[in-house]
């Protein structure tokens, strides 16, 4: 099934505004739907298109990019190979999984300068140094990142186009609708949390309405990721760092502790491993901010970070990776919020995914409470010349000691303060208590 995705509008804006002056690279983790949405865009917005899948391309197609002296010959051969007629300024050529053919990516510079056609690239793990070390990265290339389906896209797939716009109205006007409605909407959010935003998993859910079968689909996606990590790092350390994200978050420590997972490594090797994970788009890094103020990227502590899975549906499956499959009993208890476990880290991963999908970089902040304990602000957002601290609660409790202490410590820096939890929207003094489905509007 081809799902409605927001990135389509970004592609349309590029086509209408850039008019062929650059190519566009859609990068993201495997199975987020890059190829599907790009081909749908090409089919609907151009008179014709050629899609070159470099995972499947034969040697004749791969060899085309070894010599760019005569683009006429290249275009003629492409039309013959794919049985497609290209039309000047009305056709697009798609380089799918372009990291598999670095010379084709390098050729973008000259193809764009030629100006006859538009060019769209898709790539997974595209930024890894291994895939680009021997080529010149074209400057004539815009980039956009495709993430798993966000909550609104998920609701679209469920046939619901009204909920999120209504949420936005409710939040902007700080209207409480009651805990009964919030309970129903939280259940919808937990369904999203369990299925996740990988199109293949969503399609499986719509076909089967069976979360155990969805879990098997997600396990297949995770196995593809692990195979990618094994190719990038034959020691298996990248794979282990990824698999241990849930256990590291469940420890409730103030940072991911990689050396407890893979042992002592050189600083160079550790940096390379972490860059591979971050650039793969399968993970989200939330960095500690040493000075919680505007321009947080200037105060990013690269040695202190939390790591999340880019899709919370995959995170849930990873959390129960020791089982052969996650049965419906566990999913049903998660869905009804009755599983006997502290699931704060699961909701924290969900909020990280939703904040990222809304265009935010992820930062957190800790500061001393006493000699043995710290306060922690789960997420910090920069808004204008102020910051918005966020605390995430996995229940309906309204206590927010960390928020209170942070706002007391930095009163002049605060715009809004938020506690994200499972109940209805309300205020507690200066703190806005918001159900987690309002995260995109913060």
């Amino acid at each position: 099934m081809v799902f409605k995705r927001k990135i389509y509008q970004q592609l349309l804006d590029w086509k209408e505004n850039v008019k062929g002056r650059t190519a566009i690279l859609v990068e993201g983790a495997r199975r987020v739907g890059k190829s599907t949405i790009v081909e749908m865009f090409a089919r609907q917005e151009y008179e014709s298109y050629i899609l070159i899948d470099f995972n499947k391309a034969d040697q004749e197609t791969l060899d085309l990019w070894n010599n760019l002296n005569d683009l006429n010959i290249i275009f003629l051969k492409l039309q013959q190979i794919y049985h497609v007629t290209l039309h000047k300024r009305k056709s697009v050529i798609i380089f799918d999984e372009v990291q598999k053919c670095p010379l084709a990516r390098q050729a973008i510079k000259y193809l764009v300068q030629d100006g006859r056609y538009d060019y769209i690239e898709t790539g997974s793990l595209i930024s890894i140094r291994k895939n680009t070390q021997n080529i010149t990265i074209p400057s004539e290339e815009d980039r956009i990142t495709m993430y798993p389906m966000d909550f609104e896209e998920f609701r679209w797939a469920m046939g619901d186009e009204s909920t999120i716009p209504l949420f936005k109205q409710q939040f902007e006007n700080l209207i409480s609708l009651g805990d009964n409605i919030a309970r129903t909407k939280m259940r919808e959010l937990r369904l999203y949390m369990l299925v996740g935003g990988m199109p293949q998993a969503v399609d499986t859910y719509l076909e089967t309405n069976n979360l155990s079968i969805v879990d098997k689909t997600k396990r297949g996606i995770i196995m593809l990721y692990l195979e990618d990590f094994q190719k990038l790092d034959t020691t298996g350390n990248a794979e282990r760092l990824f698999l241990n994200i849930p256990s590291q978050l469940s420890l409730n420590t103030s940072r991911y502790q990689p050396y407890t997972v893979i042992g002592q490594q050189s600083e160079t090797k550790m940096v390379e491993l972490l860059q591979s994970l971050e650039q793969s788009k399968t993970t989200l890094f939330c960095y500690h901010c040493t000075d919680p103020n505007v321009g947080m990227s200037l105060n990013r502590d690269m040695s202190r970070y939390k790591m999340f899975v880019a899709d919370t549906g995959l995170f849930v499956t990873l959390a129960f990776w020791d089982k052969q499959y996650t049965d419906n009993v566990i999913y049903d208890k998660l869905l009804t919020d009755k599983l006997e476990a502290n699931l704060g880290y699961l909701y924290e991963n969900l909020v990280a995914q939703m904040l990222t999908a809304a265009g935010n970089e992820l930062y957190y902040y800790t500061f001393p409470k006493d000699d043995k304990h710290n306060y922690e602000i789960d997420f910090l957002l920069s808004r204008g010349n102020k910051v918005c601290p966020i605390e995430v609660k996995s229940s309906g409790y309204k206590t927010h000691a960390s928020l209170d202490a942070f706002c007391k410590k930095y009163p002049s820096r605060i715009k809004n303060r938020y506690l994200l939890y499972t109940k209805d929207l309300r205020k507690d003094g200066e703190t806005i208590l918001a159900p987690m489905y309002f995260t995109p509007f913060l």
Side-chain angles (χ1 to χ4, degrees), residues 307-323:
M307 202 188 311
F308 301 99
V309 181
D311 179 71
T312 306
L314 298 183
F315 179 92
V316 171
T317 297
L318 273 185
F320 298 99
W321 192 249
D322 58 327
K323 294 180 175 289

Side-chain angles (χ1 to χ4, degrees), residues 237 259 262-273:
N237 284 334
Y259 296 106
I262 60 174
Q264 195 63 35
Q265 306 287 327
S266 70
E267 183 177 351
T268 300
K269 182 61 178 176
M270 185 62 75
V271 168
E272 182 180 323
L273 285 169

